[in-house]
Amino acid sequence: MNTEQTDTPDSLPLDDRLSLLSSQYRRYLLYGLSKYTTPVSLAVLTDTVTEIEYGTPADQYRDERLRIYTALYHNHVPRLVDAGVVRYDQADDAVDVGPNAPALAPLLELTVDYDLSANGDGLSREPVDVDALYPDRS
């Protein structure tokens, strides 16, 4: 995977961008990351991913939430870190937007409506501001 970190949308090859977004959990994590002032704890993002996945508050799915946290921690966050899409501070368990996040924003704009609709299995109706993944956000 190309880990060269730049702020241009072409900073990651298309195949890498598609591979990174092939997982709903990675997309859901990025949607969650765009909703909060960053950095944000991985636990909060896990709640967001769980709520999108199940369409109800995360505390109703304790076992599933733990499974999702484990998958994010061991699989999905490291992949996003390797690609420069997010930064992760293990000591604080905090995730922040990385320099290559803007490369994924155009594709996320294409997937967000589907993922967050009943047709896409995610039942969350909360709006997502994908533009928040750009580093110069206000």
Side-chain angles (χ1 to χ4, degrees), residues 18-44:
L18 293 172
S19 177
L20 288 168
L21 296 180
S22 67
S23 166
Q24 286 179 317
Y25 284 177
R26 287 192 289 273
R27 293 192 309 271
Y28 294 171
L29 181 137
L30 292 169
Y31 301 151
L33 194 60
S34 72
K35 290 174 42 175
Y36 299 103
T37 301
T38 58
V40 62
S41 76
L42 184 56
V44 168

Side-chain angles (χ1 to χ4, degrees), residues 94-117:
V95 180
D96 200 350
V97 175
N100 286 338
L104 298 183
L107 291 172
L108 284 171
E109 289 173 2
L110 299 172
T111 62
V112 68
D113 289 337
Y114 177 79
D115 280 342
L116 300 183
S117 72

Side-chain angles (χ1 to χ4, degrees), residues 9-67:
D10 296 330
S11 61
L12 292 171
L14 180 60
D15 285 344
D16 290 352
R17 287 182 268 165
L18 293 172
S19 177
L20 288 168
L21 296 180
S22 67
S23 166
Q24 286 179 317
Y25 284 177
R26 287 192 289 273
R27 293 192 309 271
Y28 294 171
L29 181 137
L30 292 169
Y31 301 151
L33 194 60
S34 72
K35 290 174 42 175
Y36 299 103
T37 301
T38 58
V40 62
S41 76
L42 184 56
V44 168
L45 291 171
T46 300
D47 287 345
T48 300
V49 171
T50 304
E51 289 168 4
I52 293 171
E53 180 78 4
Y54 293 99
T56 60
D59 60 359
Q60 294 182 13
Y61 290 92
R62 298 178 83 184
D63 292 340
E64 291 84 352
R65 185 196 176 283
L66 178 59
R67 180 183 51 78

